[in-house]
Amino acid sequence: MSLETRDCTLSKAQTDAIERGLARIGAEESLVIVTNDLQTSVRDHFSHDARYASYSTSRGGGQVAAKTVTHSSGPAIFIDHELFNLATIDANERLLAHEGGHVVAARKGEEFVSRHHMVGSQEEYDLLASVGIAIEEFRIERELADMGYEEGPMGHIDSMGWMLHTTSVDLLTALLDPEAGADPAVLREKVTSVLADFVKVLGYAAGAVVAKLAGQFPVDRLDKHGVDNWDDYVGDHWAALVNILSDIPGIGTPMTDVEIEGALARSLDWYVQWMGRVGFTLNVGVDGVSFLRSSTDDLWTARLQRAAAENALREVQEDVS
């Protein structure tokens, strides 16, 4: 392991946790950068690559605790020092095991992204990349569950409730954006960005569920708004997703290109159908690609009312706490 700290220090227990996590997943030779400014560190480290010039750590109303970049110049794991300090040593170890899983996938050539040849347009590839990222999260989380780690923070019931709420709010915000209303390409970019973040969380959460042979996410542990959001945005598409992912092994088990692309194709079909459930359709034809809202005003009005009620409740709960 090559460890760098930027404007921060680590305890021996934290350093040992980093080493253990990487060793357990098989990514001992990783470069790890612990920093007080994760966003700037990622941008600076890959300043030669314009894709990272606008990298942001904001995600679904929260902040990124770690970011692994599997770049052609070499993979690097970035850790937010402030959030790392707030976590337990066991959680620190688990975090590095998860991030090391991305390094393992890249080292084995089993990343599910960068497979442009599978589709005919950039718009389709954006969807393919979204499900590819979700599958990689699933493979890592399935492996960690098989190794005996507790569920990760993104798979926790409170995180799912919050993600369902922020997804609904962000979709509503996109639809009400005048720029998106005037330009379908802007609408597509905003909506698919929100959906990509949410499907990544679904893949993450499915890892432990599949490993434990549970099948179902514990929806009954969500509050009423969470259950309503789940039924609206996910519903029976969860069982269909789990059925696809159950055939995909953890990150420690090799997969061939044929297996990877088969899993991607099935997952992309699921994603397009699920996107229709949420209320959007991507049409690909001889005249090009179109992205349309395929849901009714009544549905979005109900979603707006539910989001407003949940927001008011959360504000009350914050005041009480």
Side-chain angles (χ1 to χ4, degrees):
M1 175 185 71
S2 177
L3 178 63
E4 297 180 15
T5 56
R6 298 183 180 176
D7 300 320
C8 61
T9 58
L10 294 172
S11 68
K12 184 178 185 305
Q14 289 174 321
T15 301
D16 290 346
I18 292 173
E19 291 181 342
R20 283 196 307 274
L22 294 176
R24 290 202 66 187
I25 202 70
E28 298 93 333
E29 301 306 314
S30 301
L31 168 63
V32 179
I33 299 170
V34 185
T35 172
N36 269 333
D37 189 344
L38 191 151
Q39 181 170 287
T40 299
S41 291
V42 171
R43 292 180 181 182
D44 289 349
H45 191 81
F46 295 105
S47 59
H48 57 288
D49 191 329
R51 293 175 299 173
Y52 296 96
S54 59
Y55 171 74
S56 171
T57 55
S58 296
R59 294 290 187 281
Q63 289 292 116
V64 173
K67 171 68 175 177
T68 297
V69 180
T70 54
H71 196 270
S72 57
S73 60
I77 300 172
F78 297 85
I79 304 295
D80 184 289
H81 180 250
E82 180 180 0
L83 296 179
F84 199 66
N85 260 349
L86 293 173
T88 66
I89 294 300
D90 287 344
N92 289 339
E93 177 187 324
R94 191 196 191 287
L95 175 65
L96 269 296
H98 178 95
E99 296 303 319
H102 293 295
V103 175
V104 170
R107 189 179 64 209
K108 296 195 300 179
E110 293 182 11
E111 290 179 292
F112 276 65
V113 294
S114 300
R115 296 177 186 266
H116 292 77
H117 63 276
M118 290 184 62
V119 292
S121 68
Q122 181 61 43
E123 290 85 353
E124 291 172 289
Y125 175 72
D126 289 344
L127 304 188
L128 186 74
S130 294
V131 295
I133 291 169
I135 292 173
E136 187 165 305
E137 294 293 330
F138 164 80
R139 293 191 71 199
I140 295 169
E141 285 302 302
R142 180 172 191 171
E143 189 75 17
L144 296 188
D146 286 339
M147 293 167 64
Y149 283 106
E150 296 293 324
E151 68 177 1
M154 278 205 303
H156 192 272
I157 195 71
D158 291 338
S159 295
M160 183 61 75
W162 176 246
M163 195 66 192
L164 284 161
H165 175 60
T166 57
T167 296
S168 190
V169 170
D170 289 346
L171 288 173
L172 287 159
T173 301
L175 285 173
L176 294 171
D177 187 322
E179 186 181 5
D183 187 344
V186 174
L187 177 65
R188 180 191 66 82
E189 182 179 347
K190 289 180 176 293
V191 168
T192 55
S193 175
V194 174
L195 297 184
D197 284 344
F198 185 64
V199 79
K200 177 180 176 180
V201 171
L202 288 181
Y204 186 106
V209 169
V210 170
K212 296 173 182 176
L213 303 177
Q216 289 296 320
F217 185 80
V219 181
D220 58 332
R221 290 170 53 198
L222 292 166
D223 63 19
K224 183 184 184 305
H225 292 299
V227 171
D228 289 343
N229 282 329
W230 178 275
D231 290 344
D232 183 6
Y233 288 109
V234 185
D236 56 5
H237 277 79
W238 171 259
L241 178 62
V242 167
N243 186 53
I244 294 169
L245 296 179
S246 294
D247 293 331
I248 302 174
I251 203 68
T253 302
M255 291 184 73
T256 66
D257 277 345
V258 171
E259 291 170 331
I260 288 172
E261 294 186 3
L264 265 174
R266 292 188 294 275
S267 299
L268 180 60
D269 287 343
W270 173 90
Y271 188 92
V272 171
Q273 293 173 26
W274 171 69
M275 193 166 65
R277 179 196 190 97
V278 175
F280 300 93
T281 302
L282 183 73
N283 294 318
V284 181
V286 293
D287 296 327
V289 177
S290 63
F291 184 81
L292 306 170
R293 193 194 78 172
S294 55
S295 44
T296 66
D297 288 346
D298 287 346
L299 175 62
W300 287 104
T301 298
R303 288 172 171 174
L304 178 61
Q305 292 170 344
R306 187 169 67 242
E310 182 173 2
N311 212 47
L313 178 61
R314 287 181 178 273
E315 288 178 355
V316 169
Q317 290 172 338
E318 288 178 4
D319 289 342
V320 171
S321 62

